[in-house]
Amino acid sequence: MATEDGDNFRYLIVQPENGGITDLYRYGILGNKASGAKFFETSDEHTLHEELSVGGDRGGGETPAHRWVIIVSIVMRKLIKFFGKPMEWTGYVVDFILNLLSLNGGILGLFFNLLLGKMVIPVRGSATYISTIGHIDGRIDLMVGNDGTPAIQLDAGNRSLMDLCMMASKLAYENAIVIKNVMHFIDFYNCWNDYQKERSTQVFIFSDKPKDANLIVISFRGTEPFDADDWITDFDYSWYEIPKLGKVHMGFLEAMGLGNRINTSSFQQLLQATNTKLQLTNEGEPKKLLPEMGELSAYLAVRSKLKSLLNEHKNAKFMVTGHSLGGALAILFPIVLVFHEEDEVLQRMIGVHTFGQPRVGNRELGKYMESKLQYPNPRYFRVVYCNDIVPRLPYDNKTFLYKHFGVCLYYDSLFVKQKVEEEPNRNDYGLWYLIPEHLNAVWELARGMTMGMAYGPEYKESWEGIVMRLIGLAIPGLSAHGPPNYVNSIRLGTEKHIQMSTL
């Protein structure tokens, strides 16, 4: 499907740093196109005119709502970038304190160990250094069947497989040594993210057994709670159009190591490099595949390893999964496989399960991928819990570019599941939503404090999780994004029609 016609590759980059508050006012309120143009870099004048005049993806004249959503995106990215360093420092401090308390048996244990000179100091990157996500929800055991043992059914959308994928998505936040101690570990990658200009795209691979495996799971790491660049990526509106496929979120392509916005021709070069193989230097480091790439590509690394594993395990099929930003990368992986016409690989894919995933592309992309992944049976399931803010990003309205696709499994705050095309309140803004969302956050806090008594000790929330619920009183969509909500939804969830008949 790759094309040699470079003219068909269009793009739009939103650059918040290129304009000021006055420009935002002139563009957002007055509709001044010259001020708006400062925030955009495009492949051609037609694309810029389309963005400023007809709302990007749909057409139909001037669209103030479209401008407003872009303004929100720009303002949020400016604010997050401004607080980037404080967020990073806060993350280091929080991680250190959580591990310090955990390793020393809590506050009292830390006090006594300090008096006795036995205080344990956390070592970042060690087998005992757990992420903030891991402290919020420390569960690692899989859901068990009636016989008390895990029974995973290899059908997309199955509850047991969904539970496995959620646990893998949660585990992806940990460092390589922690991950190696769980499951039948195969490989771990910390790949170059050209948007963040660092190795931050983390993905690991494991199987159900070391030999003659039946299942291979690929899990991408999601948005780090204190990583400003991750949150900026979620709010980014920039896109790159792949011919015959559709428009794809540029930040996610960069996170997969498939190009960079500084040299936009790198996207076309890397997307067309279908036969590129990973090569290592004498020191074991990855060679540069293209000058623009610079470092190891997550897509190429995982694709190469997956092909090798499928060749080694003749009966194996594979799943791709991720939470938050990891969910976006999880669905982007098969999107690029489709573009590269990797039909033999795709035939052995059971499906993609994502949790709290942001939008990755436009309606054209969604329709094309649904034709590949939803027939004859759905293979892509997107799980959304209640007021989670991340699945509502980047913002969407009648004229806006980004659209979800696939089967959405939506769980409300009572863990009642519905199959819907789109989660309710798909943009999560508006004064009429504030009161219900904050009242629901109060309910979730009260429920969190009683989960252990109501559902059993394995559902008891940690004190770190309760703190997250308290944060939710101010920002409901943020606490709703936490992994405990997704684990509990999968394990405790009921179908809507069952719940109604019971009542």
Side-chain angles (χ1 to χ4, degrees):
M1 182 171 292
T3 177
E4 298 296 330
D5 186 1
D7 294 335
N8 290 333
F9 286 84
R10 299 195 305 154
Y11 64 86
L12 179 139
I13 304 173
V14 182
Q15 299 175 314
E17 65 277 5
N18 287 0
I21 300 299
T22 303
D23 296 307
L24 283 174
Y25 172 79
R26 289 175 178 171
Y27 173 54
I29 305 300
L30 305 178
N32 184 290
K33 296 178 182 178
S35 295
K38 293 182 179 181
F39 295 103
F40 299 106
E41 177 189 333
T42 63
S43 53
D44 53 80
E45 288 297 322
H46 173 72
T47 299
L48 180 61
H49 174 76
E50 186 180 62
E51 188 65 33
L52 294 174
S53 301
V54 299
D57 205 42
R58 297 293 298 275
E62 196 70 26
T63 56
H66 178 79
R67 292 199 307 271
W68 170 247
V69 173
I70 293 177
I71 294 300
V72 171
S73 170
I74 291 172
V75 170
M76 290 302 300
R77 289 175 63 189
K78 282 178 173 289
L79 285 173
I80 295 171
K81 186 173 183 178
F82 178 79
F83 290 105
K85 278 300 177 182
M87 286 176 64
E88 181 182 353
W89 298 332
T90 301
Y92 282 127
V93 172
V94 170
D95 278 349
F96 181 84
I97 292 175
L98 291 179
N99 281 281
L100 182 67
L101 293 173
S102 175
L103 292 174
N104 289 279
I107 295 178
L108 288 178
L110 176 62
F111 176 74
F112 285 117
N113 284 351
L114 184 61
L115 291 177
L116 297 172
K118 297 180 179 180
M119 185 174 67
V120 181
I121 303 297
V123 178
R124 194 175 188 86
S126 68
T128 57
Y129 200 93
I130 307 301
S131 70
T132 297
I133 295 294
H135 282 286
I136 291 173
D137 189 342
R139 289 173 290 188
I140 58 174
D141 293 330
L142 298 177
M143 184 174 65
V144 298
N146 295 329
D147 61 353
T149 60
I152 302 170
Q153 298 182 32
L154 302 185
D155 301 310
N158 178 269
R159 187 193 296 249
S160 61
L161 187 57
M162 196 83 70
D163 182 69
L164 171 67
C165 287
M166 184 58 226
M167 285 299 174
S169 298
K170 192 159 62 74
L171 190 61
Y173 287 95
E174 307 302 334
N175 66 61
I177 298 177
V178 173
I179 293 174
K180 287 179 180 179
N181 292 331
V182 182
M183 307 288 188
H184 295 288
F185 174 81
I186 293 176
D187 221 333
F188 173 91
Y189 302 96
N190 195 16
C191 300
W192 183 254
N193 182 327
D194 221 299
Y195 182 70
Q196 300 182 8
K197 301 301 179 185
E198 62 180 353
R199 287 180 178 266
S200 61
T201 300
Q202 189 166 298
V203 53
F204 79 101
I205 306 173
F206 68 92
S207 63
D208 62 337
K209 49 186 178 179
K211 294 184 178 180
D212 195 23
N214 295 310
L215 176 65
I216 296 166
V217 178
I218 301 166
S219 180
F220 289 89
R221 188 187 68 179
T223 304
E224 291 277 15
F226 299 98
D227 192 317
D229 287 329
D230 279 358
W231 287 103
I232 287 174
T233 303
D234 289 337
F235 278 96
D236 192 10
Y237 174 65
S238 307
W239 52 261
Y240 186 84
E241 186 170 20
I242 302 176
K244 300 181 182 180
L245 201 62
K247 296 174 181 175
V248 183
H249 190 290
M250 184 175 286
F252 299 153
L253 284 173
E254 289 173 311
M256 288 291 277
L258 290 171
N260 70 76
R261 65 187 66 197
I262 296 175
N263 182 359
T264 53
S265 64
S266 61
F267 289 106
Q268 182 178 348
Q269 290 176 285
L270 286 163
L271 284 166
Q272 289 180 341
T274 57
N275 295 319
T276 303
K277 295 182 179 180
L278 291 172
Q279 296 180 349
L280 300 180
T281 64
N282 293 333
E283 291 75 26
E285 288 295 314
K287 290 182 178 179
K288 294 182 180 182
L289 304 182
L290 289 173
E292 296 81 3
M293 181 178 171
E295 298 285 347
L296 181 62
S297 159
Y299 169 75
L300 293 173
V302 174
R303 187 188 67 177
S304 175
K305 186 64 177 182
L306 177 60
K307 286 184 174 182
S308 173
L309 290 170
L310 293 177
N311 185 57
E312 177 184 352
H313 304 277
K314 301 298 183 182
N315 298 317
K317 294 186 177 182
F318 72 97
M319 287 292 304
V320 192
T321 191
H323 169 260
S324 190
L325 173 61
L329 301 183
I331 186 57
L332 183 56
F333 182 69
I335 286 174
V336 184
L337 287 177
V338 167
F339 179 67
H340 286 164
E341 298 179 343
E342 296 282 1
D343 295 334
E344 290 185 10
V345 174
L346 288 165
Q347 286 175 3
R348 296 176 67 177
M349 186 179 78
I350 298 173
V352 181
H353 289 169
T354 69
F355 308 90
Q357 169 216 313
R359 299 178 176 105
V360 297
N362 68 346
R363 192 181 303 275
E364 179 186 359
L365 176 73
K367 288 182 177 179
Y368 188 85
M369 290 306 299
E370 282 180 341
S371 70
K372 298 293 183 180
L373 296 181
Q374 302 305 97
Y375 302 99
N377 297 308
R379 290 195 287 170
Y380 170 39
F381 290 87
R382 184 174 60 84
V383 183
V384 176
Y385 171 76
C386 199
N387 296 322
D388 187 348
I389 189 176
V390 175
R392 279 109 175 160
L393 298 173
Y395 289 119
D396 167 36
N397 60 29
K398 290 182 179 179
T399 61
F400 203 52
L401 168 67
Y402 289 94
K403 306 290 179 184
H404 275 308
F405 63 94
V407 178
C408 176
L409 302 180
Y410 173 77
Y411 290 86
D412 64 19
S413 62
L414 297 175
F415 305 132
V416 178
K417 181 179 74 173
Q418 303 175 57
K419 284 186 180 181
V420 295
E421 291 185 3
E422 183 74 74
E423 58 274 5
N425 181 21
R426 66 178 183 268
N427 288 317
D428 199 31
Y429 67 87
L431 293 176
W432 50 90
Y433 291 113
L434 288 179
I435 295 177
E437 288 186 357
H438 283 82
L439 289 175
N440 191 72
V442 173
W443 147 246
E444 289 177 335
L445 173 61
R447 183 189 61 191
M449 293 179 173
T450 59
M451 283 290 290
M453 293 182 287
Y455 299 104
E458 68 271 24
Y459 292 98
K460 181 180 179 181
E461 295 203 358
S462 64
W463 68 265
E464 297 94 337
I466 297 300
V467 170
M468 192 69 180
R469 300 289 186 196
L470 290 170
I471 294 174
L473 298 179
I475 314 174
L478 190 61
S479 62
H481 187 58
N485 299 308
Y486 285 94
V487 177
N488 294 337
S489 293
I490 293 167
R491 297 184 175 187
L492 301 174
T494 58
E495 297 283 353
K496 183 176 182 179
H497 69 274
I498 297 176
Q499 181 75 6
M500 292 178 65
S501 63
T502 301
L503 289 174

